[in-house]
PDB file of all heavy atoms in Angstrom:
ATOM      1  N   ALA V 236      13.307 -16.776  -6.353  1.00 98.00           N
ATOM      2  CA  ALA V 236      13.321 -17.837  -5.287  1.00 98.00           C
ATOM      3  C   ALA V 236      13.438 -17.174  -3.896  1.00 98.00           C
ATOM      4  O   ALA V 236      13.945 -16.076  -3.758  1.00 98.00           O
ATOM      5  CB  ALA V 236      14.615 -18.684  -5.643  1.00 98.00           C
ATOM      6  N   PRO V 237      13.070 -17.902  -2.852  1.00 98.00           N
ATOM      7  CA  PRO V 237      12.938 -17.391  -1.579  1.00 98.00           C
ATOM      8  C   PRO V 237      14.470 -16.835  -1.190  1.00 98.00           C
ATOM      9  O   PRO V 237      15.528 -17.384  -1.308  1.00 98.00           O
ATOM     10  CB  PRO V 237      12.569 -18.454  -0.638  1.00 98.00           C
ATOM     11  CG  PRO V 237      11.895 -19.485  -1.543  1.00 98.00           C
ATOM     12  CD  PRO V 237      12.535 -19.347  -2.949  1.00 98.00           C
ATOM     13  N   LYS V 238      14.495 -15.554  -0.601  1.00 98.00           N
ATOM     14  CA  LYS V 238      15.792 -14.919  -0.257  1.00 98.00           C
ATOM     15  C   LYS V 238      15.425 -13.925   0.963  1.00 98.00           C
ATOM     16  O   LYS V 238      14.394 -13.312   1.047  1.00 98.00           O
ATOM     17  CB  LYS V 238      16.293 -14.107  -1.412  1.00 98.00           C
ATOM     18  CG  LYS V 238      17.543 -13.497  -1.212  1.00 98.00           C
ATOM     19  CD  LYS V 238      18.193 -12.879  -2.441  1.00 98.00           C
ATOM     20  CE  LYS V 238      17.501 -11.716  -3.001  1.00 98.00           C
ATOM     21  NZ  LYS V 238      18.088 -10.962  -3.995  1.00 98.00           N
ATOM     22  N   ARG V 239      16.459 -13.894   1.913  1.00 98.00           N
ATOM     23  CA  ARG V 239      16.420 -13.051   2.878  1.00 98.00           C
ATOM     24  C   ARG V 239      16.316 -11.527   2.434  1.00 98.00           C
ATOM     25  O   ARG V 239      17.146 -11.226   1.422  1.00 98.00           O
ATOM     26  CB  ARG V 239      17.596 -13.129   3.793  1.00 98.00           C
ATOM     27  CG  ARG V 239      17.642 -14.274   4.842  1.00 98.00           C
ATOM     28  CD  ARG V 239      18.937 -14.304   5.720  1.00 98.00           C
ATOM     29  NE  ARG V 239      19.025 -12.942   6.386  1.00 98.00           N
ATOM     30  CZ  ARG V 239      19.987 -11.992   6.091  1.00 98.00           C
ATOM     31  NH1 ARG V 239      20.833 -12.168   5.251  1.00 98.00           N
ATOM     32  NH2 ARG V 239      19.987 -10.876   6.867  1.00 98.00           N
ATOM     33  N   VAL V 240      15.424 -10.792   3.008  1.00 98.00           N
ATOM     34  CA  VAL V 240      15.353  -9.348   2.469  1.00 98.00           C
ATOM     35  C   VAL V 240      16.742  -8.629   2.665  1.00 98.00           C
ATOM     36  O   VAL V 240      17.179  -7.895   1.800  1.00 98.00           O
ATOM     37  CB  VAL V 240      14.301  -8.676   3.301  1.00 98.00           C
ATOM     38  CG1 VAL V 240      14.239  -7.097   2.999  1.00 98.00           C
ATOM     39  CG2 VAL V 240      12.995  -9.167   2.898  1.00 98.00           C
ATOM     40  N   GLY V 241      17.491  -9.024   3.679  1.00 98.00           N
ATOM     41  CA  GLY V 241      18.709  -8.286   3.881  1.00 98.00           C
ATOM     42  C   GLY V 241      19.866  -8.794   3.190  1.00 98.00           C
ATOM     43  O   GLY V 241      20.982  -8.275   3.302  1.00 98.00           O
ATOM     44  N   GLN V 242      19.811 -10.016   2.520  1.00 98.00           N
ATOM     45  CA  GLN V 242      20.834 -10.614   1.870  1.00 98.00           C
ATOM     46  C   GLN V 242      21.719  -9.684   0.964  1.00 98.00           C
ATOM     47  O   GLN V 242      22.904  -9.762   0.981  1.00 98.00           O
ATOM     48  CB  GLN V 242      20.498 -11.907   1.081  1.00 98.00           C
ATOM     49  CG  GLN V 242      21.516 -12.681   0.457  1.00 98.00           C
ATOM     50  CD  GLN V 242      21.146 -13.901  -0.231  1.00 98.00           C
ATOM     51  OE1 GLN V 242      20.422 -14.770   0.464  1.00 98.00           O
ATOM     52  NE2 GLN V 242      21.536 -14.179  -1.527  1.00 98.00           N
ATOM     53  N   ASP V 243      20.944  -9.072   0.008  1.00 98.00           N
ATOM     54  CA  ASP V 243      21.704  -8.236  -0.985  1.00 98.00           C
ATOM     55  C   ASP V 243      21.342  -6.742  -0.934  1.00 98.00           C
ATOM     56  O   ASP V 243      21.661  -5.953  -1.730  1.00 98.00           O
ATOM     57  CB  ASP V 243      21.200  -8.792  -2.421  1.00 98.00           C
ATOM     58  CG  ASP V 243      21.733 -10.165  -2.701  1.00 98.00           C
ATOM     59  OD1 ASP V 243      22.704 -10.507  -2.110  1.00 98.00           O
ATOM     60  OD2 ASP V 243      20.850 -10.921  -3.354  1.00 98.00           O
ATOM     61  N   ILE V 244      20.602  -6.420   0.186  1.00 98.00           N
ATOM     62  CA  ILE V 244      20.028  -5.061   0.236  1.00 98.00           C
ATOM     63  C   ILE V 244      21.254  -4.096   0.337  1.00 98.00           C
ATOM     64  O   ILE V 244      21.081  -2.800  -0.144  1.00 98.00           O
ATOM     65  CB  ILE V 244      19.144  -4.823   1.523  1.00 98.00           C
ATOM     66  CG1 ILE V 244      18.206  -3.763   1.245  1.00 98.00           C
ATOM     67  CG2 ILE V 244      19.917  -4.620   2.756  1.00 98.00           C
ATOM     68  CD1 ILE V 244      17.070  -3.644   2.183  1.00 98.00           C
ATOM     69  N   GLY V 245      22.432  -4.334   0.768  1.00 97.00           N
ATOM     70  CA  GLY V 245      23.469  -3.522   0.752  1.00 97.00           C
ATOM     71  C   GLY V 245      24.593  -3.581  -0.388  1.00 97.00           C
ATOM     72  O   GLY V 245      25.596  -3.135  -0.338  1.00 97.00           O
ATOM     73  N   ALA V 246      24.132  -4.300  -1.470  1.00 98.00           N
ATOM     74  CA  ALA V 246      24.988  -4.700  -2.546  1.00 98.00           C
ATOM     75  C   ALA V 246      25.376  -3.411  -3.298  1.00 98.00           C
ATOM     76  O   ALA V 246      24.792  -2.369  -3.317  1.00 98.00           O
ATOM     77  CB  ALA V 246      24.267  -5.586  -3.493  1.00 98.00           C
ATOM     78  N   ASP V 247      26.582  -3.531  -3.983  1.00 98.00           N
ATOM     79  CA  ASP V 247      27.005  -2.269  -4.821  1.00 98.00           C
ATOM     80  C   ASP V 247      26.304  -2.415  -5.999  1.00 98.00           C
ATOM     81  O   ASP V 247      26.769  -2.738  -7.096  1.00 98.00           O
ATOM     82  CB  ASP V 247      28.534  -2.541  -4.949  1.00 98.00           C
ATOM     83  CG  ASP V 247      29.197  -1.509  -5.705  1.00 98.00           C
ATOM     84  OD1 ASP V 247      28.691  -0.408  -5.768  1.00 98.00           O
ATOM     85  OD2 ASP V 247      30.462  -1.641  -6.150  1.00 98.00           O
ATOM     86  N   CYS V 248      25.162  -1.804  -6.015  1.00 98.00           N
ATOM     87  CA  CYS V 248      24.231  -1.762  -7.126  1.00 98.00           C
ATOM     88  C   CYS V 248      23.608  -0.382  -7.130  1.00 98.00           C
ATOM     89  O   CYS V 248      22.946   0.116  -6.189  1.00 98.00           O
ATOM     90  CB  CYS V 248      23.081  -2.787  -6.969  1.00 98.00           C
ATOM     91  SG  CYS V 248      21.646  -2.730  -7.981  1.00 98.00           S
ATOM     92  N   GLU V 249      23.633   0.260  -8.464  1.00 98.00           N
ATOM     93  CA  GLU V 249      23.108   1.699  -8.542  1.00 98.00           C
ATOM     94  C   GLU V 249      21.674   1.647  -8.198  1.00 98.00           C
ATOM     95  O   GLU V 249      21.282   2.583  -7.573  1.00 98.00           O
ATOM     96  CB  GLU V 249      23.404   2.073  -9.898  1.00 98.00           C
ATOM     97  CG  GLU V 249      22.840   3.489 -10.059  1.00 98.00           C
ATOM     98  CD  GLU V 249      23.028   3.933 -11.636  1.00 98.00           C
ATOM     99  OE1 GLU V 249      23.199   3.196 -12.449  1.00 98.00           O
ATOM    100  OE2 GLU V 249      22.890   5.254 -11.789  1.00 98.00           O
ATOM    101  N   GLN V 250      20.848   0.808  -8.608  1.00 98.00           N
ATOM    102  CA  GLN V 250      19.469   0.681  -8.369  1.00 98.00           C
ATOM    103  C   GLN V 250      19.258   0.797  -6.824  1.00 98.00           C
ATOM    104  O   GLN V 250      18.182   1.442  -6.475  1.00 98.00           O
ATOM    105  CB  GLN V 250      18.730  -0.463  -9.016  1.00 98.00           C
ATOM    106  CG  GLN V 250      18.641  -0.330 -10.413  1.00 98.00           C
ATOM    107  CD  GLN V 250      17.562   0.796 -10.902  1.00 98.00           C
ATOM    108  OE1 GLN V 250      16.519   0.908 -10.375  1.00 98.00           O
ATOM    109  NE2 GLN V 250      18.173   1.745 -11.673  1.00 98.00           N
ATOM    110  N   LEU V 251      19.875   0.046  -6.004  1.00 98.00           N
ATOM    111  CA  LEU V 251      19.673   0.107  -4.599  1.00 98.00           C
ATOM    112  C   LEU V 251      20.194   1.289  -3.917  1.00 98.00           C
ATOM    113  O   LEU V 251      19.586   1.980  -3.051  1.00 98.00           O
ATOM    114  CB  LEU V 251      20.352  -1.141  -4.014  1.00 98.00           C
ATOM    115  CG  LEU V 251      19.898  -2.544  -4.443  1.00 98.00           C
ATOM    116  CD1 LEU V 251      20.515  -3.559  -3.648  1.00 98.00           C
ATOM    117  CD2 LEU V 251      18.369  -2.648  -4.322  1.00 98.00           C
ATOM    118  N   LYS V 252      21.224   1.819  -4.390  1.00 98.00           N
ATOM    119  CA  LYS V 252      21.784   3.031  -4.008  1.00 98.00           C
ATOM    120  C   LYS V 252      20.993   4.237  -4.200  1.00 98.00           C
ATOM    121  O   LYS V 252      20.853   5.208  -3.202  1.00 98.00           O
ATOM    122  CB  LYS V 252      23.180   3.370  -4.484  1.00 98.00           C
ATOM    123  CG  LYS V 252      24.277   2.295  -4.026  1.00 98.00           C
ATOM    124  CD  LYS V 252      25.555   2.617  -4.766  1.00 98.00           C
ATOM    125  CE  LYS V 252      26.721   1.674  -4.289  1.00 98.00           C
ATOM    126  NZ  LYS V 252      27.986   1.839  -4.999  1.00 98.00           N
ATOM    127  N   LEU V 253      20.158   4.272  -5.290  1.00 98.00           N
ATOM    128  CA  LEU V 253      19.353   5.336  -5.633  1.00 98.00           C
ATOM    129  C   LEU V 253      18.187   5.531  -4.715  1.00 98.00           C
ATOM    130  O   LEU V 253      17.735   6.690  -4.383  1.00 98.00           O
ATOM    131  CB  LEU V 253      18.708   5.188  -6.972  1.00 98.00           C
ATOM    132  CG  LEU V 253      19.674   5.466  -8.244  1.00 98.00           C
ATOM    133  CD1 LEU V 253      19.059   4.992  -9.549  1.00 98.00           C
ATOM    134  CD2 LEU V 253      19.956   6.909  -8.379  1.00 98.00           C
ATOM    135  N   VAL V 254      17.766   4.436  -3.939  1.00 98.00           N
ATOM    136  CA  VAL V 254      16.480   4.454  -3.116  1.00 98.00           C
ATOM    137  C   VAL V 254      16.992   3.868  -1.776  1.00 98.00           C
ATOM    138  O   VAL V 254      16.097   3.515  -0.959  1.00 98.00           O
ATOM    139  CB  VAL V 254      15.406   3.849  -3.730  1.00 98.00           C
ATOM    140  CG1 VAL V 254      14.838   4.669  -4.872  1.00 98.00           C
ATOM    141  CG2 VAL V 254      15.651   2.332  -4.154  1.00 98.00           C
ATOM    142  N   GLN V 255      18.304   3.748  -1.451  1.00 98.00           N
ATOM    143  CA  GLN V 255      18.746   3.290  -0.165  1.00 98.00           C
ATOM    144  C   GLN V 255      18.340   1.901   0.184  1.00 98.00           C
ATOM    145  O   GLN V 255      18.113   1.513   1.395  1.00 98.00           O
ATOM    146  CB  GLN V 255      18.189   4.306   1.033  1.00 98.00           C
ATOM    147  CG  GLN V 255      18.710   5.745   0.695  1.00 98.00           C
ATOM    148  CD  GLN V 255      18.428   6.630   1.771  1.00 98.00           C
ATOM    149  OE1 GLN V 255      18.506   6.299   2.997  1.00 98.00           O
ATOM    150  NE2 GLN V 255      17.616   7.769   1.366  1.00 98.00           N
ATOM    151  N   GLY V 256      18.049   1.028  -0.835  1.00 98.00           N
ATOM    152  CA  GLY V 256      17.618  -0.278  -0.460  1.00 98.00           C
ATOM    153  C   GLY V 256      16.531  -0.641  -1.565  1.00 98.00           C
ATOM    154  O   GLY V 256      16.569  -0.189  -2.781  1.00 98.00           O
ATOM    155  N   TYR V 257      15.775  -1.498  -1.142  1.00 98.00           N
ATOM    156  CA  TYR V 257      14.641  -1.908  -2.014  1.00 98.00           C
ATOM    157  C   TYR V 257      13.436  -0.943  -2.042  1.00 98.00           C
ATOM    158  O   TYR V 257      12.898  -0.744  -0.784  1.00 98.00           O
ATOM    159  CB  TYR V 257      14.110  -3.346  -1.708  1.00 98.00           C
ATOM    160  CG  TYR V 257      15.078  -4.310  -2.047  1.00 98.00           C
ATOM    161  CD1 TYR V 257      15.653  -5.031  -0.994  1.00 98.00           C
ATOM    162  CD2 TYR V 257      15.605  -4.682  -3.217  1.00 98.00           C
ATOM    163  CE1 TYR V 257      16.656  -5.915  -1.114  1.00 98.00           C
ATOM    164  CE2 TYR V 257      16.451  -5.718  -3.479  1.00 98.00           C
ATOM    165  CZ  TYR V 257      17.022  -6.356  -2.352  1.00 98.00           C
ATOM    166  OH  TYR V 257      18.004  -7.292  -2.560  1.00 98.00           O
ATOM    167  N   ASP V 258      13.057  -0.352  -3.147  1.00 98.00           N
ATOM    168  CA  ASP V 258      11.852   0.502  -3.213  1.00 98.00           C
ATOM    169  C   ASP V 258      11.572   0.546  -4.663  1.00 98.00           C
ATOM    170  O   ASP V 258      11.703   1.531  -5.405  1.00 98.00           O
ATOM    171  CB  ASP V 258      12.059   1.887  -2.683  1.00 98.00           C
ATOM    172  CG  ASP V 258      10.669   2.651  -2.518  1.00 98.00           C
ATOM    173  OD1 ASP V 258       9.715   2.090  -2.875  1.00 98.00           O
ATOM    174  OD2 ASP V 258      10.930   3.924  -2.251  1.00 98.00           O
ATOM    175  N   HIS V 259      11.174  -0.640  -5.131  1.00 98.00           N
ATOM    176  CA  HIS V 259      11.070  -0.856  -6.616  1.00 98.00           C
ATOM    177  C   HIS V 259       9.644  -1.525  -7.030  1.00 98.00           C
ATOM    178  O   HIS V 259       9.181  -2.316  -6.183  1.00 98.00           O
ATOM    179  CB  HIS V 259      12.193  -1.639  -7.216  1.00 98.00           C
ATOM    180  CG  HIS V 259      13.504  -1.042  -7.131  1.00 98.00           C
ATOM    181  ND1 HIS V 259      14.152  -1.060  -5.922  1.00 98.00           N
ATOM    182  CD2 HIS V 259      14.169  -0.242  -8.089  1.00 98.00           C
ATOM    183  CE1 HIS V 259      15.378  -0.402  -6.128  1.00 98.00           C
ATOM    184  NE2 HIS V 259      15.445   0.080  -7.384  1.00 98.00           N
ATOM    185  N   ASN V 260       9.205  -1.184  -8.170  1.00 98.00           N
ATOM    186  CA  ASN V 260       7.999  -1.828  -8.690  1.00 98.00           C
ATOM    187  C   ASN V 260       8.497  -3.080  -9.450  1.00 98.00           C
ATOM    188  O   ASN V 260       9.420  -3.053 -10.401  1.00 98.00           O
ATOM    189  CB  ASN V 260       7.378  -0.915  -9.737  1.00 98.00           C
ATOM    190  CG  ASN V 260       6.328  -1.664 -10.500  1.00 98.00           C
ATOM    191  OD1 ASN V 260       5.266  -1.984  -9.916  1.00 98.00           O
ATOM    192  ND2 ASN V 260       6.424  -1.770 -11.786  1.00 98.00           N
ATOM    193  N   PHE V 261       7.783  -4.248  -9.044  1.00 99.00           N
ATOM    194  CA  PHE V 261       8.016  -5.452  -9.656  1.00 99.00           C
ATOM    195  C   PHE V 261       7.055  -5.782 -10.617  1.00 99.00           C
ATOM    196  O   PHE V 261       5.693  -5.573 -10.364  1.00 99.00           O
ATOM    197  CB  PHE V 261       8.371  -6.582  -8.750  1.00 99.00           C
ATOM    198  CG  PHE V 261       9.659  -6.503  -7.991  1.00 99.00           C
ATOM    199  CD1 PHE V 261       9.794  -5.600  -6.965  1.00 99.00           C
ATOM    200  CD2 PHE V 261      10.630  -7.410  -8.323  1.00 99.00           C
ATOM    201  CE1 PHE V 261      11.059  -5.427  -6.364  1.00 99.00           C
ATOM    202  CE2 PHE V 261      11.798  -7.239  -7.616  1.00 99.00           C
ATOM    203  CZ  PHE V 261      11.982  -6.302  -6.598  1.00 99.00           C
ATOM    204  N   VAL V 262       7.295  -6.338 -11.785  1.00 98.00           N
ATOM    205  CA  VAL V 262       6.262  -6.626 -12.855  1.00 98.00           C
ATOM    206  C   VAL V 262       5.770  -8.176 -12.585  1.00 98.00           C
ATOM    207  O   VAL V 262       6.373  -9.017 -12.813  1.00 98.00           O
ATOM    208  CB  VAL V 262       6.995  -6.610 -14.261  1.00 98.00           C
ATOM    209  CG1 VAL V 262       6.008  -6.924 -15.314  1.00 98.00           C
ATOM    210  CG2 VAL V 262       7.373  -5.076 -14.475  1.00 98.00           C
ATOM    211  N   VAL V 263       4.512  -8.240 -12.346  1.00 98.00           N
ATOM    212  CA  VAL V 263       3.964  -9.571 -11.881  1.00 98.00           C
ATOM    213  C   VAL V 263       3.874 -10.507 -13.002  1.00 98.00           C
ATOM    214  O   VAL V 263       3.451 -10.036 -14.070  1.00 98.00           O
ATOM    215  CB  VAL V 263       2.639  -9.301 -11.258  1.00 98.00           C
ATOM    216  CG1 VAL V 263       1.888 -10.672 -10.988  1.00 98.00           C
ATOM    217  CG2 VAL V 263       2.629  -8.508  -9.947  1.00 98.00           C
ATOM    218  N   ASP V 264       4.431 -11.595 -12.923  1.00 98.00           N
ATOM    219  CA  ASP V 264       4.456 -12.646 -13.977  1.00 98.00           C
ATOM    220  C   ASP V 264       3.020 -13.031 -14.225  1.00 98.00           C
ATOM    221  O   ASP V 264       2.274 -13.336 -13.418  1.00 98.00           O
ATOM    222  CB  ASP V 264       5.270 -13.908 -13.538  1.00 98.00           C
ATOM    223  CG  ASP V 264       6.669 -13.622 -13.484  1.00 98.00           C
ATOM    224  OD1 ASP V 264       7.241 -12.655 -14.200  1.00 98.00           O
ATOM    225  OD2 ASP V 264       7.369 -14.325 -12.794  1.00 98.00           O
TER     226      ASP V 264
END
Side-chain angles (χ1 to χ4, degrees):
K238 183 174 72 173
R239 282 182 58 251
V240 169
Q242 177 176 313
D243 298 324
I244 204 167
D247 184 13
C248 169
E249 182 186 13
Q250 282 296 305
L251 299 184
K252 291 177 179 178
L253 283 169
V254 291
Q255 302 177 55
Y257 296 110
D258 189 8
H259 295 82
N260 169 68
F261 287 77
V262 175
V263 174
D264 289 339

